[in-house]
């Protein structure tokens, strides 16, 4: 057990944006909310998975909707509290702790803000090890944990409690409601016991985010390459160097969808990379080969500072580096690939791991 203060929030927000693979929402707003909550209520208690009891009720919180909407539709700060109180009333049980549902931008920050306000501890675990666009795309789902009962709330005071027949229907119904509620909502979801969290969650995510953020922050003073350090921490590989040449981005059906074209520089001169995203980057390919695909992680970093760039933050002319990182082994199972592999997102290809793609590239030289 330890406590998270403002310095830790700053570092976690950067690491979360990177592991969010372009999605999960820009962490800036969530960071401000978490910092304000800490200033008003004191630091947040962070627990390891081993420190929670098997029968404790743990509930993740976060935002559902299109990240581009959150830029203009800022939460008022009470929605998450409303979802937790509504869920507690329905279950007739006290929530012991919260956690991020995913390792993504704002969705790693919002549980910290809620925890400070409600004086709840946060568990160092999440349900993805990255960010994904749909509610059933969690390792909890892979392990048979139900997403419902779940509660969503908007900044206007609308609250909906959903009890669905499965997690696919939870996504469908909640997504439709989210669109009607303005494109983004706060949620309390996947209520589970400590034993389920221990078995199905991805452990030490916040710790990794903090290490990534700290390494990027200290790179200049430490006189080292932040991107190389990030690759070391995440077991990642450098995929492409270039500058953003074109962005096709739109918000529809509750998601931010689009493609980005990156013109190659340096060793990638005369090549063009295409990034396909639905909130998160899902596929990176050139005309000649596929470089990385979901469920493995694809992130875009500023070429000079190593700072992560979200899908809504991509701008024409930005010089960047694209990296790939291997997904947690839970995602490389048959059910994991069926849930969020390339074919689920309508890409006509079978999943090939980042490591295999790298070996194929070496063999082609």
């Amino acid at each position: 057990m330890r406590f998270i203060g403002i310095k830790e929030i700053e570092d976690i927000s950067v690491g979360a944006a990177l592991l969010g693979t372009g999605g999960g929402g820009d962490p800036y707003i969530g960071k401000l909310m978490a910092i304000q909550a800490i200033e008003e209520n004191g630091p947040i208690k962070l627990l390891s998975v081993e420190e929670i009891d098997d029968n404790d009720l743990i509930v993740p919180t976060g935002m559902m909707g299109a990240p581009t909407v959150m830029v203009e539709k800022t939460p008022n700060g009470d929605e998450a509290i409303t979802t937790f109180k509504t869920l507690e009333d329905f279950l007739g049980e006290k929530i012991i702790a919260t956690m991020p549902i995913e390792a993504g931008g704002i969705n790693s920050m919002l549980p910290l803000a809620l925890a400070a306000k409600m004086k709840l501890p946060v568990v160092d675990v999440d349900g993805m090890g990255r960010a994904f666009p749909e509610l059933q795309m969690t390792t909890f789902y892979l392990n048979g944990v139900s997403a419902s009962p779940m509660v969503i709330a908007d900044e206007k005071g609308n609250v909906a409690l959903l009890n669905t027949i499965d997690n696919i229907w939870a996504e469908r119904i909640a997504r439709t409601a989210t669109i009607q509620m303005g494109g983004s909502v706060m949620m309390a979801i996947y209520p589970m016991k400590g034993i389920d969290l221990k078995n199905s969650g991805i452990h030490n995510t916040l710790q990794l985010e903090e290490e990534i953020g700290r390494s990027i922050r200290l790179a200049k003073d430490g006189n080292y390459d932040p991107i190389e350090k990030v690759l070391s921490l995440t077991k990642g590989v450098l995929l492409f160097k270039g500058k953003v040449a074109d962005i096709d981005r739109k918000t529809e059906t509750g998601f931010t969808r689009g493609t980005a074209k990156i013109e190659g520089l340096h060793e990638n001169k005369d090549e063009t990379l295409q990034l396909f995203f639905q909130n998160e980057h899902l596929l990176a390919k050139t005309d000649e080969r596929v470089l990385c695909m979901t469920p493995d992680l694809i992130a875009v970093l500023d070429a000079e500072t190593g700072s992560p760039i979200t899908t809504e933050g991509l701008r024409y002319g930005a010089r960047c580096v694209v990296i790939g990182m291997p997904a947690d082994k839970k995602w490389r199972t048959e059910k994991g690939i069926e849930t969020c592999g390339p074919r689920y997102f309508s890409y006509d290809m079978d999943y090939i791991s980042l490591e295999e793609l790298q070996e194929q590239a070496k063999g082609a030289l």
Side-chain angles (χ1 to χ4, degrees), residues 290-312:
V290 174
L291 277 63
C292 192
M293 66 178 73
T294 178
D296 290 330
L297 289 71
I298 303 165
V300 181
L301 310 180
D302 182 276
E304 182 177 348
T305 66
S307 298
I309 305 172
T310 61
T311 52
E312 68 267 27

Side-chain angles (χ1 to χ4, degrees), residues 58-60 101 135-136 138 140-141 145-147 167 188-192:
I58 315 296
V59 179
I101 190 173
L135 296 182
Q136 79 280 8
T138 68
F140 311 136
Y141 167 72
V145 179
S146 176
N167 293 0
I189 188 172
Y190 283 100
M192 71 190 88

Side-chain angles (χ1 to χ4, degrees), residues 232-361:
S232 174
L233 288 169
T234 61
K235 300 180 176 60
V237 294
L238 194 152
L239 300 176
F240 201 83
K241 294 180 179 180
K243 66 177 180 178
V244 179
D246 190 30
I247 300 285
D248 179 13
R249 179 174 49 218
K250 56 187 175 182
T251 300
E252 60 178 11
T253 64
F255 300 103
T256 301
R257 302 175 186 266
T259 58
K261 289 185 179 180
I262 300 177
E263 292 181 349
L265 298 173
H266 309 297
E267 60 265 37
N268 297 115
K269 184 176 173 59
D270 299 325
E271 290 185 284
T272 300
L273 177 74
Q274 280 192 298
L275 286 175
F276 299 83
F277 55 85
Q278 180 180 321
N279 289 5
E280 290 77 34
H281 298 301
L282 300 172
L283 178 66
K285 63 185 289 290
T286 66
D287 292 337
E288 303 296 326
R289 60 192 177 94
V290 174
L291 277 63
C292 192
M293 66 178 73
T294 178
D296 290 330
L297 289 71
I298 303 165
V300 181
L301 310 180
D302 182 276
E304 182 177 348
T305 66
S307 298
I309 305 172
T310 61
T311 52
E312 68 267 27
L314 283 170
R315 297 289 184 269
Y316 173 81
R319 292 176 181 264
C320 59
V321 171
V322 182
I323 67 172
M325 297 162 280
D328 186 271
K329 62 183 180 181
K330 291 182 173 70
W331 289 119
R332 292 179 168 189
T333 61
E334 183 177 346
K335 188 173 182 180
I337 294 168
E338 178 186 333
T339 301
C340 58
R343 291 196 180 276
Y344 181 87
F345 294 100
S346 301
Y347 301 120
D348 188 20
M349 60 186 72
D350 292 325
Y351 169 70
I352 303 174
S353 72
L354 175 63
E355 297 90 334
E356 291 178 80
L357 289 171
Q358 288 290 299
E359 287 300 318
Q360 291 178 9

Side-chain angles (χ1 to χ4, degrees), residues 36-239:
Q36 181 180 8
I38 288 174
E39 289 175 341
E40 293 175 354
N41 302 283
I44 303 156
K45 184 184 292 185
L46 180 67
L47 303 177
S48 69
V49 172
E50 292 73 22
E51 291 177 289
I52 60 173
D53 292 337
D54 288 352
N55 289 319
D56 285 347
L57 177 61
I58 315 296
V59 179
T61 186
M63 181 208 81
M64 181 180 187
T68 46
V69 173
M70 179 64 85
V71 175
E72 297 184 5
K73 184 175 178 283
T74 307
N76 65 28
D78 294 331
E79 301 97 323
I81 296 174
T82 299
T83 64
F84 266 45
K85 290 182 176 179
T86 303
L87 189 59
E88 285 182 331
D89 288 344
F90 179 78
L91 295 173
E93 188 175 354
K94 186 73 174 174
I95 297 171
I96 301 302
T98 189
M99 51 171 282
I101 190 173
E102 65 183 357
I106 196 168
N107 273 343
S108 286
M109 293 286 99
L110 294 175
L112 301 176
L114 174 66
K117 287 186 173 184
M118 296 190 70
K119 299 193 181 302
L120 286 174
V122 173
V123 187
D124 191 0
V125 63
D126 86 298
M128 300 182 197
R130 50 162 295 158
F132 275 122
E134 298 184 8
L135 296 182
Q136 79 280 8
M137 294 177 176
T138 68
T139 53
F140 311 136
Y141 167 72
L142 302 183
N143 211 40
V145 179
S146 176
S148 65
M150 65 174 290
V151 182
I152 60 175
D154 66 15
E155 79 289 351
K156 295 179 286 292
N158 295 308
V159 183
L161 190 151
L162 307 177
N163 208 357
T164 61
I165 58 173
D166 60 33
N167 293 0
I168 305 296
W169 275 104
E171 161 64 29
R172 290 173 178 172
I173 295 173
R175 186 71 56 182
T176 301
T178 297
I179 293 169
Q180 294 302 314
M181 295 164 87
S184 69
V185 295
M186 291 297 300
M187 61 183 175
I189 188 172
Y190 283 100
M192 71 190 88
K193 295 297 185 178
I195 186 64
D196 296 318
L197 181 57
K198 292 174 184 179
N199 292 333
S200 61
I202 296 178
H203 299 192
N204 303 319
T205 299
L206 288 165
Q207 177 181 318
L208 176 58
E209 290 171 345
E210 186 179 352
E211 289 174 354
I212 291 170
R214 185 190 306 116
S215 69
I216 292 173
R217 173 171 56 86
L218 297 177
K220 187 174 182 180
D221 291 339
N223 196 30
Y224 60 81
D225 182 352
I227 295 172
E228 288 298 323
K229 183 64 174 178
V230 166
L231 294 177
S232 174
L233 288 169
T234 61
K235 300 180 176 60
V237 294
L238 194 152
L239 300 176

